[in-house]
Amino acid sequence: QVQLVESGGGLVQAGGSLRLSCSASGRIFSLSTMGWYRQAPGKQRDLVAVISSSGAPNYHGSVEGRFTISRDNAKKTVYLQMDSLKPEDTAVYYCNGRITETISTGIRDYWGQGTQVTVSS
């Protein structure tokens, strides 16, 4: 069974940095696009950044220039480096992976359990 496990959340002051990691494990034939989403209290889950299997990133406009997404395909891990954090970045951050377990199962979306990021002013 495929699992995505996040780590690296926490409490930081405005202007600080955090680095999130998300590792995929289990029966994995291939990893396609991976990404990070976030959900603040009372709001919908929104895209933060995604990265293709070849390493091409895309960012939400609100984080471009401050956040950097990267991946290590050998480790089946995606990272989110978050710099110049703002109080409005406070949310639960979820890892997403488009993963093929076997050729017969096809590609599916998997989610991590979420990690809390809190930025104090």
Side-chain angles (χ1 to χ4, degrees):
Q1 186 173 353
V2 174
Q3 282 191 313
L4 296 178
V5 178
E6 302 121 330
S7 62
L11 172 65
V12 65
Q13 288 189 328
S17 298
L18 283 173
R19 188 189 195 211
L20 305 182
S21 299
C22 171
S23 294
S25 63
R27 185 173 62 176
I28 298 172
F29 177 74
S30 68
L31 285 173
S32 182
T33 300
M34 300 188 76
W36 291 94
Y37 292 70
R38 66 187 179 187
Q39 188 167 19
K43 296 189 176 181
Q44 66 181 19
R45 189 175 298 187
D46 289 328
L47 172 72
V48 176
V50 293
I51 185 166
S52 71
S53 56
S54 61
N58 275 290
Y59 300 95
H60 188 277
S62 65
V63 307
E64 193 143 20
R66 300 188 297 122
F67 291 10
T68 303
I69 190 170
S70 61
R71 64 190 287 167
D72 185 329
N73 289 330
K75 295 182 178 180
K76 299 184 177 64
T77 299
V78 62
Y79 305 96
L80 186 68
Q81 177 66 41
M82 305 186 292
D83 299 318
S84 303
L85 282 160
K86 305 175 181 180
E88 50 264 43
D89 295 318
T90 295
V92 177
Y93 283 69
Y94 295 92
C95 174
N96 170 266
R98 304 215 72 215
I99 297 171
T100 301
E101 286 187 71
T102 68
I103 292 178
S104 60
T105 61
I107 193 167
R108 296 177 180 172
D109 274 314
Y110 291 87
W111 293 90
Q113 80 284 357
T115 185
Q116 177 70 46
V117 171
T118 302
V119 185
S120 62
S121 57

